Amino acid sequence: MKINLKAKPFNLNDDDIKWVENTLGTMTEEEKIAQLFCLIAYSSEENYLDYLSCGLKIGGIMCRTMPAQEVVKTVSRLQERSKIPMLISANLEAGGNGVAFEGTRMGCEMAVSATGDSAFAQKLGDLCGKEGSVLGINWAFAPIADIDFNFRNPITNTRTFGANPSQVSENSVAYIQAIQKYGVAAAAKHFPGDGVDERDQHLVSAVNTFSCKEWDETYGQVYKKCIEAGVMTIMAGHIMLPSYSQALNPSLKDEDVLPATLSPEIITGLLKEKLGFNGLVITDSTTMAGLAMAMDRRLAVPRTIAAGCDMFLFTKNLEEDFAYMKEGVKNGTITQERLDDAVTKILALKAALKLHKKNNIPSLEAALKTLSAPESKNLALECADRAITLVKNKQELL
């Protein structure tokens, strides 16, 4: 599927496109492969950060929650030394506390949705955008667009906007539109949709057992609305969707159905072609057993990109996974066309966020002032008050 850099969600102008094309044209094959990786930062240890930015020259990192001072040091070190600006992500699901200990926790998605007012989802997006961007975060691994159809599901639960697809859509869109105004790309997750079965992707590949019709009317509507709203990225889960895998590829036997992160039917066929998603697709954490159980890691690492994912999140063994990806390019698992397509989307996201044109070094003073804003704490209290929906069990709801 050909990328349209002028269309949603990138909306690049001619100068931005020229930067993307010129940057791609000057990169070696090894530099292109390195851009596929989004690794992890958990401290401001300089040797490690320099290895990521100057040695490997990776495309992005995800910050685990740290003190604000550590976040600023980490982001500054990476951006100062990177030849190409880096995507800096965090789990901004419930507030700025997803990246800094000093950040505000407004509330989990279910609490936000329980207010009965999507304006609170918009306020959550504003809060995450404000507190994330001041720390140098330009990519939020949120919103969670899963649907809580099964209360026993250990992943979704209170991290979702609920069990009503329309409510999930409305709140997800409100969050996306709010946070992206701050120059922070949203990542709707976990495609093709968690919350149906009781499996934990960390331990086993999950299965969305919905028929194509059921999926179209639920998860399909949620992702369609997110795409129409201009969501810049989507995170693929280690979740099988047998109905669509076999509808798009009738020759697939049951035992050959793969989780979305490895499935060309789900990522390329369903997400990119049927739903028309033109943005960037990133895998969920590749350290999860949900990926490992599907096939040998030597095959799985390059297969994620070949299937249509554009970035690879985390590694089990850094050197081994880089070697597997290079081997995949060398043996043709990842074609040159697919490699260039993925890297183009990575660069296009960076251009859409104007990372190539602005100072990406955060200020600790500004960060601490923003993170301690009284209005943010008041918002969290208001959300908590409005989220209370059951005090006494008079209707025997429990």
Side-chain angles (χ1 to χ4, degrees), residues 18 192 202 227 236 241 244 302 384 392:
K18 186 176 181 180
H202 296 83
I227 291 168
L241 183 59
Y244 256 115
K392 292 184 179 180

Side-chain angles (χ1 to χ4, degrees), residues 103-262:
T104 307
R105 176 182 169 82
M106 178 175 159
C108 64
E109 284 85 346
M110 191 163 285
V112 170
S113 186
T115 65
D117 186 352
S118 63
F120 279 91
Q122 173 255 309
K123 291 175 182 179
L124 175 62
D126 280 330
L127 176 67
C128 292
K130 179 172 65 175
E131 294 193 348
S133 62
V134 79
L135 288 163
I137 304 302
N138 51 49
W139 195 5
F141 288 165
I144 297 176
D146 296 320
I147 309 174
D148 196 33
F149 283 119
N150 187 338
F151 73 92
R152 293 186 180 89
N153 186 289
I155 297 296
T156 55
N157 210 279
T158 59
R159 291 173 72 207
T160 72
F161 287 118
N164 184 310
S166 297
Q167 198 169 12
V168 173
S169 294
E170 186 179 3
N171 284 288
S172 295
V173 166
Y175 176 98
I176 289 164
Q177 292 177 331
I179 196 169
Q180 291 191 165
K181 290 179 182 177
Y182 290 85
V184 180
K189 63 185 184 184
H190 307 83
F191 191 83
D194 209 345
V196 175
D197 69 354
E198 300 180 14
R199 296 173 177 85
D200 182 342
Q201 296 174 60
H202 296 83
L203 307 176
V204 65
S205 300
V207 184
N208 185 319
T209 55
F210 278 12
S211 68
C212 294
K213 183 175 184 294
E214 289 172 324
W215 189 90
D216 287 342
E217 294 171 351
T218 55
Y219 293 95
Q221 285 302 309
V222 172
Y223 278 98
K224 184 179 179 182
K225 294 290 186 183
C226 289
I227 291 168
E228 288 173 353
V231 68
M232 290 179 144
T233 74
I234 287 175
M235 179 179 284
H238 311 305
I239 304 167
M240 300 179 194
L241 183 59
S243 60
Y244 256 115
S245 289
Q246 293 176 314
L248 294 171
N249 184 358
S251 67
L252 271 185
K253 298 178 181 177
D254 290 348
E255 60 268 27
D256 295 328
V257 173
L258 292 169
T261 38
L262 297 167

